[in-house]
Amino acid sequence: MKKLTKFGAAGFTALLVGVLALSGCGAEQEQPANPPVSSADTSAPQGDVSAVSSESSSSGSQAGQTVVDTSAPVPESARVDDSYFDDAVFIGDSVTYKLELYAQKNRNTEPNFLGKAQFLTNGSLGTHNAKWEISDKSVHPKINGQKVLIQDGVEQLNAKKVYIQLGMNDIGLYGVDDSITTMDELAQEILKKSPDAKIYIQSVTPMVTNAEGKNLNNSNINIYNEKLLELCGQKGYYYIDVASVMKDSDGSLIMEYCSDPDGQGIHLTDAGCKAWVDYLYTHTA
């Protein structure tokens, strides 16, 4: 199967090497320039809010109001138009970077694929190292070639739907509970800069069985995802359970969806990305 390209970066500190060794996500890659994103959603901010949230949209299959109980995963809904994602940004590590590449490829023939959604990704990114100061050795995502803190990047892109999938680079090194805390801290930092944004926390996708390690394994990923759902219920974030369509009968990553089954066992094929995108289009709030 086709493997996801990895991008090396010389001069990383010993700490970053430890993160990569324990986490399984790739190193920093150069990011494409990000064009401006439209701003359409002016819903109320999240944070310490009621566990029941609602968002009203304006046209087509998005007309009317959908009320979502954030203590449960966002349920299946009618498929939305591409424009739903015009004001979205996807934040993540090398797994989300593959989604970015998949979107770019599809936009060659379908210009409106995933709307105008933009990406803030880095192969080594996690909720912990996202808090580092920006330096030549830090692993922050880039906008037009310049590293940015995630919260500043969301603000610069004027994103109103913020999809976060992070944890693969955190669980093995920092444990589940600490990683949940830093996820919430990141979400709150985003909301301080972009109070009108909505936070969509995506579950971490599983890995193939033979790639599991002592600390980074499907059991801990499942526990982490369960606690992400609890966090969403407490803070009013939306929980998007994309992992649910990535699992085989044993709870491992479906082999057809894995691009590196004999390696890290976490990266996705185009088939895996298609399942992810189809889920996003039919699970909206």
Side-chain angles (χ1 to χ4, degrees):
M1 281 183 276
K2 181 178 177 182
K3 293 183 181 291
L4 177 61
T5 302
K6 294 181 169 48
F7 296 76
F12 273 16
T13 62
L15 175 60
L16 180 55
V17 173
V19 172
L20 294 178
L22 287 166
S23 66
C25 281
E28 179 180 2
Q29 70 278 331
E30 289 297 320
Q31 298 301 313
N34 289 290
V37 68
S38 64
S39 172
D41 184 354
T42 57
S43 304
Q46 291 168 297
D48 292 308
V49 297
S50 168
V52 178
S53 303
S54 64
E55 179 177 340
S56 179
S57 52
S58 57
S59 63
S61 61
Q62 293 137 237
Q65 185 180 69
T66 300
V67 178
V68 174
D69 176 3
T70 63
S71 65
V74 170
E76 186 173 2
S77 54
R79 188 178 180 91
V80 294
D81 298 330
D82 295 321
S83 60
Y84 178 86
F85 297 101
D86 282 353
D87 56 1
V89 63
F90 287 84
I91 297 166
D93 50 38
S94 57
V95 178
T96 303
Y97 180 58
K98 168 61 181 180
L99 182 67
E100 179 178 4
L101 295 177
Y102 181 73
Q104 290 174 343
K105 182 175 75 172
N106 278 273
R107 286 169 178 171
N108 290 329
T109 54
E110 302 175 56
N112 295 322
F113 184 83
L114 211 58
K116 298 176 183 177
Q118 298 182 87
F119 295 82
L120 291 171
T121 65
N122 189 297
S124 306
L125 191 62
T127 57
H128 287 80
N129 58 33
K131 298 166 65 177
W132 293 1
E133 292 184 1
I134 292 177
S135 71
D136 59 346
K137 297 179 180 179
S138 68
V139 296
H140 298 91
K142 295 179 179 180
I143 295 179
N144 297 326
Q146 299 296 316
K147 291 181 180 180
V148 294
L149 296 173
I150 289 176
Q151 59 267 30
D152 293 337
V154 172
E155 182 183 33
Q156 287 183 38
L157 299 176
N158 198 24
K160 302 302 180 185
K161 299 183 183 78
V162 182
Y163 285 82
I164 307 172
Q165 189 191 72
L166 290 171
M168 196 73 82
N169 285 318
D170 298 285
I171 297 170
L173 187 60
Y174 301 100
V176 169
D177 291 337
D178 196 15
S179 299
I180 293 295
T181 298
T182 52
M183 173 66 82
D184 187 32
E185 290 172 351
L186 175 61
Q188 291 299 317
E189 288 299 320
I190 291 170
L191 291 171
K192 286 179 183 177
K193 292 274 187 174
S194 303
D196 292 335
K198 292 289 185 181
I199 303 295
Y200 299 77
I201 294 182
Q202 300 177 93
S203 54
V204 170
T205 49
M207 55 197 309
V208 294
T209 302
N210 64 289
E212 292 182 280
K214 178 180 179 181
N215 297 314
L216 181 60
N217 50 56
N218 285 322
S219 177
N220 282 342
I221 288 174
N222 289 337
I223 294 170
Y224 177 75
N225 286 337
E226 290 170 2
K227 294 199 172 188
L228 282 180
L229 177 57
E230 292 177 8
L231 175 66
C232 290
Q234 293 165 3
K235 296 300 180 73
Y237 310 142
Y238 296 121
Y239 182 74
I240 309 295
D241 191 14
V242 65
S244 64
V245 294
M246 298 287 180
K247 296 178 180 180
D248 62 17
S249 58
D250 295 325
S252 301
L253 181 60
I254 295 172
M255 195 61 68
E256 179 190 356
Y257 292 172
C258 183
S259 67
D260 57 349
D262 298 321
Q264 294 172 321
I266 59 174
H267 297 106
L268 301 179
T269 61
D270 284 357
C273 287
K274 183 181 186 303
W276 188 349
V277 170
D278 286 343
Y279 192 89
L280 292 172
Y281 270 86
T282 56
H283 292 77
T284 59

